[in-house]
Amino acid sequence: MTMRYASYISPAGARTWGVVEGDTVYDLGPSGLNLAANLGDAVRGGVFGNVQSEQYSSAPAAAEAEITFLPPVTEPGKIICIGVNYRSHQEETGKVEQKAPTVFTRFADTQMGHLAPALMPASTTQYDYEGEMALVISKDAWHVSKEDAFDYVAGYGAYNDFSVRDWQRNASQWIPGKNFPGTGAFGPYLVPASDIEDLDSMVLETRVNGEVRQKAALGDLYFSIPELIEYVTGFTKLSAGDVIVTGTPGGVGLFMEPSGLLSDGDVVEVEVSGLGVLRNTVQRCE
């Protein structure tokens, strides 16, 4: 059985985390069984992925519809994002045959959870979506080989790297266009890596107002997950709870004709096989 973990605000207003089974969330955090202070600490302490049903079934429960989702890992030390990492996206951007991954950083305080608004800043006319799959690191990682890389993955979740394209394209560095508040959607769940049987066959699909814009198998990644982990840990030390966002397929709004860029009120969904549907509605900021 695939286990789904979530971070959330309970109906009583407590920030916590737990296991989602069906339409019910079982509280494993400070307001429940108190197995760890948050989901990041559960990863760091080896609790994540190791909670049995006979244990969580006795936890305080709430209906999933009554909680407010947070990003699964609310305070990662590092968020490392990978650009143009599907051939289809390389072709539409003209950035083909890369020799090394394109890497940029996202700040933790720019993230939001499932169903939170995707904040479109007043200073942009080019707000875009990027459906992706993210992974969370399970333990300290430094100079990890490709062969050992999967030993360092705690779990996987859906991600939407909303992008402020005009700010992103002002210069060669992408960081400004990737770090406005409320633009890094993560969730709704974090699924243990041990529960994923065939990662490459999983399909990522992004929809805008129900229209399919992006669709690709994770096996189509240009740089594979082991290659990404080897490369990233070759230049920076990663810790348990850190996040790598693995890249987006072709079909982003910027390169569509006519333009597929986002507007106030658009509903964007990112669905990854077995990881759930991440849904956010665009909200224009004044």
Side-chain angles (χ1 to χ4, degrees):
M1 181 180 69
T2 299
M3 298 288 288
R4 298 175 294 163
Y5 290 76
S7 295
Y8 61 97
I9 300 173
S10 73
R15 291 175 67 93
T16 190
W17 65 281
V19 168
V20 182
E21 185 176 276
D23 297 326
T24 303
V25 186
Y26 296 90
D27 191 342
L28 306 184
S31 54
L33 295 185
N34 200 22
L35 300 185
N38 52 57
L39 190 46
D41 280 355
V43 170
R44 287 182 280 272
V47 176
F48 172 74
N50 293 304
V51 182
Q52 304 303 313
S53 60
E54 57 268 21
Q55 186 175 16
Y56 69 73
S57 61
S58 64
E64 185 178 18
E66 297 177 347
I67 68 170
T68 300
F69 282 93
L70 300 169
V73 181
T74 54
E75 297 180 1
K78 294 176 183 176
I79 304 171
I80 305 293
C81 299
I82 309 299
V84 285
N85 196 29
Y86 285 82
R87 284 182 175 83
S88 56
H89 192 40
Q90 291 177 351
E91 290 167 0
E92 70 182 359
T93 61
K95 298 176 180 178
V96 296
E97 301 301 328
Q98 296 182 81
K99 299 295 188 279
T102 298
V103 178
F104 59 95
T105 55
R106 177 177 277 283
F107 307 141
D109 63 0
T110 69
Q111 291 196 131
M112 71 286 197
H114 172 57
L115 300 180
L119 301 181
M120 179 180 180
S123 58
T124 187
T125 59
Q126 297 184 351
Y127 197 55
D128 209 348
Y129 53 86
E130 290 192 11
E132 312 201 22
M133 192 274 290
L135 63 89
V136 173
I137 295 295
S138 63
K139 57 187 176 182
D140 290 351
W142 178 233
H143 292 162
V144 175
S145 69
K146 290 184 291 186
E147 292 73 21
D148 295 333
F150 282 122
D151 293 339
Y152 291 79
V153 180
Y156 302 99
Y159 208 97
N160 197 332
D161 183 36
F162 286 97
S163 301
V164 183
R165 296 294 190 197
D166 31 11
W167 281 79
Q168 178 187 356
R169 289 152 63 89
N170 277 342
S172 61
Q173 300 299 316
W174 294 359
I175 291 175
K178 299 287 190 172
N179 280 288
F180 279 79
T183 58
F186 189 12
Y189 315 115
L190 188 67
V191 173
S194 58
D195 289 354
I196 302 298
E197 295 183 357
D198 185 2
L199 189 68
D200 285 350
S201 69
M202 294 167 63
V203 174
L204 184 158
E205 182 174 288
T206 306
R207 299 180 290 270
V208 179
N209 300 326
E211 176 191 0
V212 176
R213 297 283 186 89
Q214 297 179 293
K215 189 169 186 177
L218 297 184
D220 293 339
L221 285 167
Y222 187 75
F223 294 103
S224 68
I225 287 170
E227 288 172 326
L228 294 177
I229 292 174
E230 181 178 71
Y231 184 80
V232 171
T233 63
F235 71 83
T236 189
K237 293 181 178 181
L238 297 180
S239 300
D242 287 348
V243 178
I244 297 178
V245 188
T246 59
T248 197
V252 299
L254 181 67
F255 297 106
M256 291 181 64
E257 293 184 5
S259 170
L261 291 166
L262 297 170
S263 300
D264 186 51
D266 284 344
V267 177
V268 188
E269 296 174 310
V270 179
E271 182 172 7
V272 183
S273 305
L275 304 184
V277 179
L278 171 65
R279 183 180 300 108
N280 302 92
T281 301
V282 176
Q283 179 180 307
R284 178 83 182 189
C285 301
E286 298 300 329

